[in-house]
Amino acid sequence: MERHIQQFVDYDMVNRIVNGFETFPQKVLGPHQVDGGYVITAYHPSACGMTIRLEGETSDREMECIHDKGVYSIFLPGKKYKKYRITKYFQDGNHVTGEDPYSFSSFITEADCYLFGNGIHYQIYEKLGAHPMELDGVYGTYFAVWAPHAKRVSLVGDMNMWDGRVYPMRRREDMGIFELFIPHIGPGEIYKYEILTQKSDLILKSDPFGNEFQMRPENASVVTDLKGFDWQDGGWMRKRNASDTYKLPMNIYEVHIGSWKRAGEKQDTFMNYREIAHDLAEYCEYMGYTHVELMGISEHPFDGSWGYQVTGYFAPTSRFGNPKDFMYFVDYMHQHGISVILDWVPAHFPKDGFALGRFDGEPVYEHPDSRLGEHPDWGTYIFNYGKKEVSNFLIGSALFWLEKFHVDGLRTDAVASMLYLDYGKQDGQWVANKYGGKENLEAVEFLKHLNSIVERRQPGAMVIAEESTAWPNVTKRPEDDGLGFTYKWNMGWMNDFLEYVSKDPLFRKGVHNKLTFAMAYHHSEKYVLVLSHDEVVHGKCSMINKQPGEMYEKFQGLRTAYGFMFGHPGKKLLFMGQDFAQLREWSEERSLDWYLLDDPMHRKMHNWVRALLHLEKDYKALYETDYTDGFEWMNCDDNEKSIVTFVRKSPNGKNSLLFVCNFTPVVWDKGYRVGVPNAGKYKEILNSDSEEFGGSGEYMNGDVRATKQEWDGKDYSIPVIVPPMSCVIFEYTHKIEEAQEKSQTQTKKKTTKKKSSTTKKTTTATAKKRTTRKTTAKK
């Protein structure tokens, strides 16, 4: 054996490589400088011979076999290193020529390791995962995975017949990151990681940072190239980054792409992202939706999870196409003025053996203590938020969708389960924090970190919390001791509202506060009012069937309910199918019942919701002042009649709106008197009893002039014809100056009274003093 080879090669390490137990194969494989030249060692378990050709040479040099299981080596004298190609020969007469994977420089830098280890590598998705690229002048794919407890990680796939001995990956000594560049493979290549655990078990895992996966039930990762998409939404993105979301209309259409519409004669085939984009954008524009919120876009194995048990945090599901198809979807929506929000799930992840759970045989992404790392009710793992690399993984995922796919916002699922250590657990199933409390302090810090970084890097993007408890300051900034979310779903309003509208009208007066209570805490957070998918599944009934009574009464009730909802402050979300009163509960297994639009009652309900959506878009009173002083009750106390009246005021007073909502089947055709803010004309612009919306058309108002007749504590009032079970909306001009003058006058009166009272007190006190002096003098 050549002397330099004999001196350099560690034969114990060679044996471990051959037997699949070596953690640092790069210490033997690839080129290594030695005294007088270089030793190059290569390995393939099935090779019966190898030759090498240096760059610039025309002939091959034979490599020396140093282990009969396919390890070959050669010494090349000289100080100058030259690129080379190796030819591997096999017993069946075939041979393969290519660059040596172990000859390429590392793509992971010390800075990358430092940032990742400290949880602040905000573009970690550019380094970990599979990335087609040119490295050292050669095209191929670079692979990197974090597996800190692994003895060995190998890349396996069709490129090496799924043989884990062929491509053992190089481990960086300063981090548990394994990496390898494989020349001449690119998009479409299927792969996994074969991991040798500390217990010497072999497991196969998909790529946690993978950007594409096989169509379920298969679950291997797929190499894809995210570069090169021709985005057309530059203007949209610039405008987004400069906009104030709180002062813009937000009509969110919650959509499950797999069941919104389906293709094929039997409607049993998924549509592609590109097809869906065209149909969905057209529908949203027609209806007046400004945003779509997509359920279940991150890759997931089980359709019945609706996408909330994620296995691919950096990949759009392949059910509807490839990543560039999804880019097209977002780009097309933006070109048609529609924002895109994704449901994002950092609260938990499934235990599927091919995915994140026990990734390298040990807890990596989950907490090692099951009391902190598992949801017993859900059968899922909980992320270890205090682990910097895990926090970085999740923040990287959030930024990935916002930056790589131009998504406009993330709706963070199940935030309450993150905030409370005892969420869904019995005594003995959870551990208190260091102060003895049930708050998950590490999750709190993670959420603050997440939201502050999103705001800094993507200032126009939204992060919305699905948070169902009374946790304070969810939408306040982290520096003000808040969690930093842009919005919070108002689950309290939703529960109260649905309880109210589900009651028989006869009994609604007994729960009248369920309709009005939300305004008592409205200004504590930036709320979104939601009627989501969760409310129309698992025996809860569709929205139309939550309403009591005969079918025509159900339609009356639902029109009224929607009218009240769209008048109430807060941004709005409505789940698909509920805008045309789908009768059946939603199921992910079938398309919506679009045929119902052929029925006049459903079509007219559709018209009503469309009218409300466009009203929400067109009137600043309904969106610019959602979180200021743009709302005022006229009367919220008429529980006997179950009628509420309120106004929504625009910033300049013009095009303000008065809402009159009647939640009983009683008609007030002689005129129900309503207190109003000021004199002027009140023009009826929408009436749910109109024929075009499915009503009788008998109880319309037209224009009504306010008279100076005190009512509901207001100086002015109007008589309104109130149809049974209805919502009537009037447009008027809110006289801001008059209101201010009235307010100032009231303030002056109070001040005058206060001064008068003070004067009286002073006079009385002075008189008493004088009396006392006189009495003293007499004594």
Side-chain angles (χ1 to χ4, degrees), residues 239 440 471 535 552 730 732 750:
K239 184 179 177 182
N440 190 334
W471 187 282
E535 309 319 314
Y552 77 92
F730 296 87
Y732 77 101
K750 287 178 183 176

Side-chain angles (χ1 to χ4, degrees), residues 414-477:
V415 172
S417 73
M418 301 170 67
L419 294 174
Y420 295 97
L421 294 165
D422 65 342
Y423 187 93
K425 297 179 181 180
Q426 304 298 319
D427 289 345
Q429 293 181 326
W430 64 283
V431 181
N433 63 35
K434 61 184 179 181
Y435 302 113
K438 61 184 179 180
E439 299 80 10
N440 190 334
L441 304 178
E442 294 173 341
V444 169
E445 288 309 308
F446 160 72
L447 291 171
K448 289 181 177 182
H449 186 184
L450 163 74
N451 290 321
S452 63
I453 291 303
V454 168
E455 184 181 21
R456 190 175 82 193
R457 293 178 64 96
Q458 295 292 321
M462 301 170 285
V463 188
I464 304 168
E466 186 216 9
E467 205 287 307
S468 55
T469 74
W471 187 282
N473 303 330
V474 172
T475 56
K476 284 189 178 178
R477 299 169 68 85

Side-chain angles (χ1 to χ4, degrees), residues 504-698:
D504 186 295
L506 183 63
F507 302 110
R508 285 176 177 171
K509 62 185 178 182
V511 291
H512 190 73
N513 66 311
K514 297 289 184 181
L515 198 62
T516 60
F517 180 62
M519 282 310 302
Y521 59 84
H522 172 72
H523 292 289
S524 64
E525 301 284 4
K526 303 293 193 301
Y527 284 115
V528 180
L529 305 188
V530 294
L531 294 175
S532 73
H533 66 276
D534 278 326
E535 309 319 314
V536 293
V537 291
H538 302 324
K540 295 180 184 178
C541 301
S542 62
M543 282 302 299
I544 187 67
N545 281 318
K546 291 183 193 295
Q547 312 300 314
E550 300 296 327
M551 191 53 71
Y552 77 92
E553 293 174 309
K554 290 178 182 290
F555 276 93
Q556 279 183 327
L558 189 56
R559 289 196 301 270
T560 308
Y562 284 160
F564 176 82
M565 173 186 178
F566 277 88
H568 196 288
K571 306 308 181 185
K572 312 299 187 298
L573 178 144
L574 194 61
F575 182 56
M576 64 182 196
Q578 307 316 302
D579 52 10
F580 61 80
Q582 171 148 319
L583 297 172
R584 293 192 290 180
E585 286 188 347
W586 170 65
S587 170
E588 81 282 352
E589 296 179 350
R590 59 175 183 259
S591 173
L592 293 180
D593 296 331
W594 292 103
Y595 65 86
L596 289 174
L597 286 171
D598 295 330
D599 181 288
M601 290 303 290
H602 291 274
R603 170 59 69 182
K604 289 177 179 181
M605 174 62 76
H606 203 231
N607 292 343
W608 172 244
V609 175
R610 179 172 181 260
L612 291 172
L613 288 164
H614 280 279
L615 189 77
E616 188 86 14
K617 277 181 64 178
D618 297 341
Y619 281 78
K620 290 184 178 182
L622 291 177
Y623 62 82
E624 273 204 11
T625 60
D626 266 324
Y627 307 109
T628 57
D629 57 353
F631 174 90
E632 184 182 353
W633 288 114
M634 295 295 100
N635 190 343
C636 63
D637 297 322
D638 196 353
N639 61 305
E640 286 297 324
K641 297 184 181 69
S642 296
I643 294 178
V644 292
T645 57
F646 57 89
V647 295
R648 296 297 305 275
K649 297 172 277 188
S650 70
N652 64 5
K654 295 179 181 179
N655 307 119
S656 293
L657 298 172
L658 167 68
F659 285 74
V660 180
C661 299
N662 177 13
F663 286 92
T664 68
V666 177
V667 60
W668 297 88
D669 55 352
K670 302 300 182 185
Y672 177 87
R673 187 153 288 277
V674 176
V676 293
N678 49 251
K681 182 174 72 174
Y682 288 75
K683 177 184 178 183
E684 184 180 83
I685 57 172
L686 280 180
N687 187 325
S688 65
D689 195 52
S690 171
E691 287 187 69
E692 67 174 310
F693 304 133
S696 68
E698 296 178 18

Side-chain angles (χ1 to χ4, degrees), residues 1 9 11 14-19 41-50 63-73 89-91 165:
M1 182 180 293
V9 172
Y11 286 93
V14 169
N15 280 322
R16 289 198 299 272
I17 290 173
V18 168
N19 292 312
T41 305
Y43 167 62
H44 192 291
S46 301
C48 61
M50 293 189 192
M63 299 179 72
E64 183 178 348
C65 179
I66 63 170
H67 194 291
D68 61 4
K69 297 293 185 180
V71 184
Y72 292 81
S73 193
Y89 299 90
F90 303 101
Q91 292 287 354
R165 298 172 298 171

